[in-house]
Structure formats: structure tokens, C-alpha cells
Amino acid sequence: MAFSFQSKAADLNVPQDELAQETVYPLFDNPVSVRNRNVQDSGTFDIGIFGGAAITEPIANTSKFGLSLNYHFNEAHALGLLYAKNSTGLSKDAQAMKDEFNLDFNRAPFPEYSLMADYNYKLYYGKLSVTKNGVLNTSIFVSAAGGMIKYVHKSYPAIAIGIGERFYFTNHLALKIDLRMFFNNAPIPFKAGALREGVDPVPSYDSFAERLTYTTNLEIGLNYLF
Amino acid sequence: MIKTSLILIPILIASLSAQAQQPEGRSYRAQIENSVNLIKTGKNLAAAQQLLGLSRTSTIPAERARIKYLFGLSLMELNLNQTAAFQFAELIRTGDPSWTKQAIEKLLVVTDKLGDETLLNFAIQRVDINQIPAQNREMLFYRLAETKHKAGLAKEAIEFYSKVTPRSRYYFNALYNMGLAQAESNQPDLALQSFRRLLNSRAKANVTDTNKVAAQMAIARVLYQKQDWAKSIEAYSLIPRDHKYWHDALFEKTWAMLRAARFRSTLSNFQSLHSSYYEDAYLPETLLLRSIVYLYICQYDEMEKVLSLYERQYGPALTRVNNFLKNTNSDMYFQEVNKTYQLKKNTDDKKQLALPYNILKRVSEEGDVRRSYAYLKKINDERKLVEGSSQLKGSSVGSYALRILNNRINSTRAVIGDQAKRHLTAIKEELTDLNEQSSFIRYEMINGKKETIKKRLSGKELPKSNEETRDRSFYVQNGYEYYPFQGEYWLDEIGNYHYLGKQSCE
């Protein structure tokens, strides 16, 4: 439950007979791991901003920015909304293909934003002592989200599952890291003969075939609990 | 004609009655023999039914006593111990010499099972030890010792406790109580010997074995009594944390540390004692003690926090106790204790209580209340046994048992209520006294603050070293790692908090 990464022990003067002799827990009528938590999130809201990257996105710009709002029902469950706006343009790889092979993936439909309801189950609350001067509380959670991803021409229902961690700098402010895998139907950006730059007519977005697509996203943001 | 009939009726009744009385002795004896056979063949309910009927109609004193004894016996076999005890007690009261001895023996056995102290004492007062069978004799020694012990006759109690041999299931209890009686009669060295004997005899038992832990705790207490603070601290440290005595050990060790002038260690322990894990514990004294230690080291801000905490917690508690003590109905006291027992098992909702939970918890954990409650539970179990068996419930024995049990339940509830009231009155007195002390301590605090300000104004305050300015008044160390404690209590850290603040006195 508690970790400590310290490079140097301080000069402390505690008699040996006062140090714990065993590793058993004290006996209580109703034992719980932690009392008087620093981070009291039960019945609170948190609001967050984040930036993310679609790690496995081949064509569209991989970066996105978003906002999230969560309500923490108790110390285990939270439900919220998240909105992520995708950046426009192409990914590095798609830009290289454009430069090298004259393939313009801007002709293919690309995602604009996603809007999802996000459920978090908080698995673990703990703390880290990086130096002996401070303690950082942390919470690990799994997430399940459902909503839609809006492409330029159409909206697709989507679901996502993930795992994340919050590192609390104070009792309210946390760094949030979220890794999610999205599942949704999406247009296939590859269409023979339609992507060459200058070739007319420009294919309509509806003409692209669709299939189930998996995308892995990594998001990092700041959340404020109030 | 009608007049003649009216005159004839009483004559007829008298004549029938005379005819019935003539063979009564033979007929009863036959029925009693039949009941004995039923008991022998395990048909205890049928026997009890027959014996109950006989006990109501019998007019021959000798047979009546025998019937009562056999009835009690059959009830014992049916696990209706309280109802059986009632028969034996009744029989003893009649003083019939031919059945009293057996009845006392049986009463000792059933009251021992029930934990019914009143009837047990009743039996003990009438017993002749030499006539009790060997298998029950050690139990009797133990119970007699207990009675003497409670009466404050330590010497006699020790004598009886020492007669309980290692063969008896009362041996460990007897050894422990003997040590206790020796300690109470100011023979700490003998008490230590008794407790060490108990500890040694449980050497191979599990680390949390209650006899073993109780012996260790008693050793620490006797060493404290001898004012050997260092050894006492050492002995308290051996109480395992996963035992319910650990918290008491920590509290008592804190006193020993204070007496040994180990102020920093004392403050370390308070951090665990006052953690939210023990929010249900009734510890007003420790808060005042903590504030006094802060006074010794001139930490007035910390002192003020602790005093305020005391006043916030125990000021309103005293008012609530005072108000509650205006109730005269003992059942209201019982109800509060009962709710506390239920809360312990089921839920954390303590708002439904008329008194603070920590105070009621303390009351419910008092030895006499606990024993009476355990006895009440046994009677309730017996009632459930009757009500749960359609055969028993529908019988006259069942109705009879329920009547006795309901009476006992009511009287025991009243006893628990009175015990609770007595403890609450003691708590009220304690809190009143502590509140007064709190005012004195606050006065000392203000005085200390004033002196500090005076020194500061006259430039006498000592410059603070770099070490002192570091904010690390509390930290957690388990022997390998340490880090600052930020007021968040973790189960695996309880007992590992250490105070690093220094004294601020000149």
C-alpha cells in the first residue's frame, strides 16, 4: 500500500524497541485499509483537461485534446462525460506517403471529435513517497466508456475500455494518465485510385467502405477535484 | 328432588376423592418409574410431560421432590438448562435431604453452562464440597474462588484457585485469576510467578492465544505496578498487534513511557491511539495526557489542538450522559446497550443511539455487562429452541418453559439496565472530573504561552536550528522505510508512527 523510493536514509534517532517487531495487522471490528484519506473523493466532482495521442492511428492526425467531467459516487465508482477534439491534418506516416507517393489522405474522411459517457471503477488507492519529504497519493482505475465518434460525414457509435492512474499533487489536483482501446465502425481511408492528388473527381466521404476499427489512445491530463 | 341432588353432589365428590387417594402412592410410583424408563431410553420430552403433570398433582412431599429432580433431569437432557435450573433451585429451597445433594450437583452443572451467577451462588452457598463428585469438584473450587475473589477475600480466593489442577478446563482461568488476586493483595512477585506459569504452559500455543496474551499483558501490568517502567514497556511490546488487547497494551505502555519520562515515545503512541481507527474508543484520559506531554515540551499550539478536540468530543458527551441518566426505567438502559451490540455486528449507523457510541461501547464491554449479556443470549437461545420445535412448543412443557424463560429474560434485561446505569454514572463522574482537569490544563497552557511571549519580547528566545525548522513532527517508520505522515492512517502503519518534534522550552 505504501511505497517509498528514497536514495538516502535520514539521521533518525528512534529506539529499536519502538520499531515494529512483526508485520501483522492490528485487530479491529471493521478493518479497512485506510482511514482519514487525504483524497476525499466520495460525492465530489472532478473536472479535467487532457491531451492524447491515438497510438495506432495510421492516417489522421494522432493528437487530440479534451475535457472531462466526472462525478464520484463513492470511493469506488465514478461516472462522467468526456469530450475529445481531434486535431486536423495527417499523421506523420500519412504525410510521408503524401510526399513520397503523392497519396493525399486528406481526401479520406477523418474523425472530428468523440463524446462519451465514461465509467471508472477505482481499484486501488495508495501512496508514493518519492522523497522522504512528501507523499503522493495515487489511485488506479479501470474505465469503460460508450458514446460516439463523429467523422466529418457521419457519427459512429463507439465503446472503449481502459486503465488509468491519477497522481495527486495535492488533495485536489491530480495528474491523470489514461490508456484506452476504442472499438467502433469507421471508414477505411484506403480506396484504390481515389487518393491520388489532383485526380478528379474527389471521392465522396460516403464512398469509403467501413469496418470495425480498434484504436489505442494514451491521454495525459490534469484533473481538479471539488 | 333438586334439593336432595345438591346435598348428594359434595358427598359423591368426597367419596370419589377418597377412592382416588387410596391408590395414589402406588399409581404415582408407577408413573415415576415409567418416567425414569423414558429418560433412560432417551424419550426426554415424553418423560418431561409426564413429570410436569405429576409435579402438579402430587401431594406426597417425598415423591414431589423426586419428581422435581427427575423433571429437571429430563429438561437438562432436552438442553433446556434454564428451565432445569429452576427445578433444581426449587428443590433445594424445599430442603428435602434425600434429593438436595443431587440437585445441588446438577444445579452447579447447568448454571455453569448458563453462566447464571445468581443461581450458581445460590448453589455454592448450600454445597458440601466433600459430597460433590470428583469430576465437578475442580469446577466448584474455581467458582468458590471466584465468589471469594469478588467478595474481596483474596487470601481465600488464592487458596481455592490453587486447588484447580492442570487437568481441569478451569486451570488457565484459575491461574490467571490467582495471579490477579495476588497482584490485588500486593504480592506482585507471586503474581508474576503465576502469570509466568500460565505463559509457559501456553508456550506452544498460537501467538494470538488469548490465555497467552492475557498472561503477557498481566506480566506487563504487574511490572508497571512494581514501577519497573523499562521492563513493563518491554513486556507490553510483546503483545501481538493482531489481538484485541493490543490497543489496551499500547495505551498502558504509553503511561509507562510517560512515567519513564520518554515524552517523545509517549507522543508517538498517541498518534496511533488517537487515529481514526480508534474513533469508537472511549479515551478521554489519553487526550488530556497528550496535552500534558505537549505542555512539558512547550508545544502550546499542539496542546491547544488536543484540548479543543477533548472539549469538542467529551463536553457534549457529558451533557448527553447527564440527560440520559434522568431516565429511571432500566429497560431504556438495556435497549441502548442492546443496540450497541447489534451495531457491532451489523452496521456503522450510530445515529440512532441516544448516547455517544464510544461511551456505550465502553459500557457494553464492561465485564459484568458482557457476562449478563452472554447469559441473556443463552436464555434467548433456549427460548428459540422451544419456539423452533413444534413438538416442544405445542406441549405443556414448552408453555411452562416459555413462561420461566420470559420471566428470566425480563429480569436479566433489568439487571443489564441497572449495570449499564451504574457504569454510566461512573462515566459521568469521570468526565466531570476530567473536564475540571481540562480547565486547569488550559490555564497552564495560557500561562505557558504568556511566558513564551514575554521571552520573545525580551529577546531571550533561542534561535532555531535548521533541523528544528524542518516540518517533520510526525513520520512513519517500520524499520526499513520512513516518510512524513500526513494525517492519513493506513492499517499497516498503525503502531509505526513516530514523533520527531523537539521540545520548545528554553
Side-chain angles (χ1 to χ4, degrees):
Chain A
M1 273 173 282
F3 308 99
S4 179
F5 304 114
Q6 60 189 69
S7 53
K8 185 181 158 207
D11 181 19
L12 295 172
N13 200 10
V14 174
Q16 283 297 309
D17 67 352
E18 285 179 34
L19 298 178
Q21 308 290 311
E22 16 75 339
T23 53
V24 294
Y25 287 166
L27 190 75
F28 295 100
D29 289 342
N30 299 304
V32 286
S33 321
V34 58
R35 290 280 175 112
N36 201 26
R37 283 171 51 140
N38 285 335
V39 180
Q40 302 276 353
D41 60 358
S42 180
T44 61
F45 283 95
D46 81 52
I47 188 161
I49 52 166
F50 63 87
I55 299 167
T56 54
E57 166 60 48
I59 304 301
N61 193 329
T62 54
S63 64
K64 53 168 83 176
F65 298 92
L67 294 169
S68 67
L69 177 71
N70 294 289
Y71 178 70
H72 298 261
F73 292 98
N74 49 42
E75 286 169 359
H77 305 283
L79 189 63
L81 276 177
L82 66 90
Y83 169 81
K85 176 82 180 81
N86 293 67
S87 300
T88 53
L90 298 174
S91 70
K92 239 188 212 171
D93 291 340
Q95 190 59 49
M97 287 167 84
K98 185 181 175 187
D99 296 343
E100 201 170 328
F101 302 109
N102 213 20
L103 288 174
D104 185 4
F105 282 95
N106 282 319
R107 293 176 165 222
F110 53 87
E112 281 187 326
Y113 65 86
S114 51
L115 183 64
M116 304 185 102
D118 183 25
Y119 165 74
N120 289 179
Y121 178 70
K122 293 168 270 182
L123 288 173
Y124 170 90
Y125 174 79
K127 62 181 181 182
L128 298 158
S129 181
V130 180
T131 69
K132 54 180 166 282
N133 293 318
V135 170
L136 203 67
N137 286 103
T138 181
S139 163
I140 296 174
F141 58 91
V142 287
S143 64
M148 58 100 169
I149 294 183
K150 170 77 172 66
Y151 275 71
V152 276
H153 65 301
K154 194 175 171 182
S155 294
Y156 294 94
I159 56 168
I161 54 167
I163 186 163
E165 184 161 8
R166 286 182 172 89
F167 296 96
Y168 286 90
F169 299 127
T170 70
N171 295 351
H172 298 281
L173 185 66
L175 172 77
K176 185 180 172 191
I177 299 172
D178 228 329
L179 183 70
R180 294 175 197 269
M181 184 178 247
F182 284 76
F183 306 85
N184 59 287
N185 249 1
I188 307 164
F190 305 100
K191 190 179 175 190
L195 299 173
R196 288 220 177 269
E197 211 172 5
V199 173
D200 289 327
V202 176
S204 75
Y205 289 142
D206 291 333
S207 64
F208 285 81
E210 294 173 1
R211 75 167 174 213
L212 184 63
T213 305
Y214 313 98
T215 323
T216 307
N217 275 250
L218 181 67
E219 295 157 4
I220 299 176
L222 285 174
N223 279 55
Y224 189 79
L225 199 69
F226 60 99
Chain B
M1 188 65 190
I2 294 168
K3 266 187 185 175
T4 318
S5 301
L6 285 172
I7 292 163
L8 280 174
I9 287 168
I11 295 167
L12 192 66
I13 291 170
S15 141
L16 284 171
S17 169
Q19 278 174 18
Q21 271 178 10
Q22 261 188 343
E24 185 184 49
R26 272 200 303 275
S27 160
Y28 274 132
R29 270 178 218 114
Q31 286 185 60
I32 292 166
E33 291 314 318
N34 183 37
S35 303
V36 172
N37 286 334
L38 286 170
I39 293 172
K40 279 181 187 167
T41 52
K43 292 171 183 164
N44 293 297
L45 181 57
Q49 290 270 65
Q50 193 166 33
L51 289 162
L52 176 64
L54 287 171
S55 71
R56 283 170 174 167
T57 52
S58 171
T59 52
I60 305 166
E63 294 302 344
R64 218 179 146 79
R66 190 182 173 204
I67 289 164
K68 205 95 185 136
Y69 176 75
L70 289 171
F71 183 38
L73 215 54
S74 61
L75 290 168
M76 252 177 97
E77 294 298 321
L78 287 166
N79 260 334
L80 301 177
N81 289 316
Q82 181 59 59
T83 322
F86 189 72
Q87 308 313 312
F88 298 130
E90 281 287 294
L91 177 52
I92 297 164
R93 269 196 200 100
T94 61
D96 186 298
S98 47
W99 295 100
T100 300
K101 184 178 151 280
Q102 289 97 317
I104 289 174
E105 278 173 35
K106 292 288 181 274
L107 185 62
L108 280 173
V109 174
V110 284
T111 49
D112 186 50
K113 278 185 195 169
L114 285 166
D116 181 348
E117 291 188 348
T118 319
L119 282 178
L120 190 64
N121 287 339
F122 171 81
I124 283 173
Q125 281 164 17
R126 283 155 179 80
V127 80
D128 176 0
I129 298 173
N130 299 322
Q131 290 186 343
I132 293 293
Q135 73 265 24
N136 290 333
R137 207 169 289 159
E138 303 221 23
M139 181 261 279
L140 187 63
F141 288 140
Y142 176 72
R143 295 296 182 194
L144 271 168
E146 263 193 336
T147 312
K148 301 285 179 196
H149 198 167
K150 274 183 195 161
L153 303 168
K155 198 179 161 196
E156 291 171 51
I158 293 165
E159 206 177 307
F160 279 119
Y161 282 133
S162 64
K163 287 184 178 175
V164 181
T165 66
R167 287 193 312 273
S168 167
R169 68 188 175 100
Y170 293 94
Y171 177 64
F172 297 131
N173 284 9
L175 211 47
Y176 180 82
N177 286 347
M178 184 163 78
L180 212 58
Q182 287 162 334
E184 282 164 7
S185 55
N186 212 15
Q187 304 175 66
D189 292 324
L190 286 177
L192 276 178
Q193 277 177 26
S194 300
F195 293 132
R196 285 192 177 127
R197 251 167 75 199
L198 176 57
L199 192 66
N200 293 337
S201 62
R202 302 297 296 164
K204 286 180 186 165
N206 193 299
V207 70
T208 53
D209 174 75
T210 296
N211 285 319
K212 194 175 182 173
V213 178
Q216 183 61 43
M217 188 87 170
I219 288 170
R221 284 171 174 164
V222 175
L223 289 167
Y224 185 96
Q225 186 184 357
K226 289 182 77 181
Q227 304 198 350
D228 191 342
W229 315 123
K231 280 188 182 166
S232 168
I233 292 167
E234 205 176 304
Y236 279 123
S237 301
L238 293 174
I239 305 291
R241 293 199 304 159
D242 51 353
H243 194 275
K244 62 180 177 178
Y245 284 165
W246 183 74
H247 180 252
D248 289 343
L250 191 65
F251 172 47
E252 291 170 25
K253 185 167 79 172
T254 307
W255 264 112
M257 284 170 163
L258 184 70
R259 300 295 297 270
R262 287 172 60 172
F263 297 145
R264 195 204 52 72
S265 312
T266 308
L267 286 168
S268 298
N269 282 3
F270 283 134
Q271 200 58 33
S272 290
L273 286 169
H274 296 153
S275 88
S276 42
Y277 278 104
Y278 293 110
E279 63 190 3
D280 291 338
Y282 171 76
L283 298 164
E285 186 191 343
T286 59
L287 284 170
L288 292 187
L289 198 59
R290 187 173 177 177
S291 69
I292 290 169
V293 181
Y294 282 131
L295 179 70
Y296 287 156
I297 61 169
C298 308
Q299 293 279 12
Y300 302 115
D301 291 343
E302 293 300 321
M303 190 180 173
E304 174 136 37
K305 277 186 216 164
V306 178
L307 274 181
S308 302
L309 179 66
Y310 171 83
E311 284 157 11
R312 213 167 45 246
Q313 276 192 3
Y314 293 101
L318 178 59
T319 312
R320 285 172 75 181
V321 172
N322 263 330
N323 289 338
F324 195 81
L325 279 169
K326 287 172 188 159
N327 291 310
T328 50
N329 182 356
S330 66
D331 199 53
M332 291 188 73
Y333 293 87
F334 167 76
Q335 290 295 350
E336 283 300 292
V337 172
N338 195 36
K339 277 184 215 160
T340 313
Y341 277 109
Q342 301 309 319
L343 281 176
K344 271 189 200 170
K345 284 181 207 156
N346 302 328
T347 164
D348 282 337
D349 186 9
K350 288 145 193 156
K351 287 178 186 162
Q352 53 177 298
L353 295 165
L355 289 164
Y357 178 73
N358 59 351
I359 288 183
L360 280 169
K361 188 166 174 276
R362 161 60 66 94
V363 169
S364 70
E365 283 167 359
E366 292 288 351
D368 55 350
V369 176
R370 229 176 42 236
R371 272 193 299 276
S372 300
Y373 202 84
Y375 169 55
L376 180 67
K377 190 178 172 298
K378 283 186 180 160
I379 320 175
N380 273 321
D381 287 346
E382 194 169 321
R383 184 165 71 173
K384 278 183 202 156
L385 180 76
V386 177
E387 287 175 339
S389 156
S390 54
Q391 214 182 1
L392 203 53
K393 196 182 173 188
S395 68
S396 51
V397 171
S399 312
Y400 176 73
L402 283 176
R403 210 165 47 246
I404 291 175
L405 292 171
N406 287 335
N407 282 338
R408 291 301 291 171
I409 286 168
N410 288 338
S411 59
T412 310
R413 283 165 65 122
V415 166
I416 294 173
D418 290 341
Q419 287 168 339
K421 189 176 181 180
R422 212 164 44 246
H423 291 302
L424 277 173
T425 308
I427 283 174
K428 177 193 149 185
E429 281 160 14
E430 185 191 14
L431 283 180
T432 308
D433 182 41
L434 289 176
N435 275 2
E436 202 175 320
Q437 288 186 37
S438 147
S439 307
F440 287 130
I441 296 168
R442 190 169 273 284
Y443 167 77
E444 290 296 335
M445 181 189 76
I446 293 165
N447 203 29
K449 274 185 177 178
K450 190 182 79 185
E451 292 302 318
T452 310
I453 292 166
K454 269 188 188 171
K455 275 175 199 160
R456 197 172 293 157
L457 288 172
S458 60
K460 281 183 187 168
E461 195 183 24
L462 293 171
K464 281 184 178 171
S465 68
N466 285 342
E467 187 62 22
E468 283 170 330
T469 51
R470 286 178 66 182
D471 179 23
R472 52 173 205 175
S473 23
F474 288 101
Y475 76 104
V476 178
Q477 173 159 345
N478 60 10
Y480 305 100
E481 306 279 350
Y482 81 89
Y483 34 82
F485 158 65
Q486 294 180 338
E488 187 180 68
Y489 296 100
W490 286 82
L491 184 64
D492 56 351
E493 290 174 353
I494 290 287
N496 289 322
Y497 300 106
H498 295 278
Y499 182 74
L500 281 189
K502 297 194 171 180
Q503 71 149 310
S504 302
C505 308
E506 196 179 334

